[in-house]
Amino acid sequence: MAVLPDYNALPPVVSMSDVINHILAFFTLSFLFKLAYPKLKTILHVFLLSAYGVAIEVVQYFLPTRFGDPYDVLSDILGVLLALIFML
């Protein structure tokens, strides 16, 4: 979904809130990442997934129909942190 040409063309249930979508996506990604790499230090976990969120926004910046948004990165990081808190 990160590189779709027209995000607003998605069904309403998906495009209801960009922030919620980012939080849910990175919550899920973080949860699965932690299950896959349980011995990885938490700080590295947060750094890697945050860097992934930044990379997505950089790619979107260069797409003609999308734009990079720093608030999306913050939503991504919030999703990562919520998943880690949930898994305590």
Side-chain angles (χ1 to χ4, degrees):
M1 287 179 36
V3 294
L4 287 175
D6 187 8
Y7 184 80
N8 294 323
L10 294 171
V13 70
V14 177
S15 61
M16 65 182 166
S17 171
D18 189 42
V19 172
I20 291 173
N21 285 340
H22 278 267
I23 291 171
L24 289 175
F26 274 78
F27 180 95
T28 304
L29 183 63
S30 184
F31 184 83
L32 294 173
F33 195 81
K34 188 68 173 172
L35 290 177
Y37 304 101
K39 294 182 181 178
L40 189 69
K41 292 187 179 192
T42 302
I43 190 73
L44 186 57
H45 178 114
V46 172
F47 174 77
L48 289 172
L49 292 180
S50 298
Y52 181 62
V54 169
I56 289 172
E57 296 306 315
V58 168
V59 168
Q60 286 181 350
Y61 177 80
F62 292 103
L63 295 176
T65 59
R66 300 296 295 268
F67 60 94
D69 186 356
Y71 291 112
D72 287 348
V73 174
L74 293 177
S75 299
D76 298 341
I77 294 169
L78 179 59
V80 170
L81 296 176
L82 287 173
L84 291 172
I85 290 168
F86 177 76
M87 294 183 78
L88 287 179

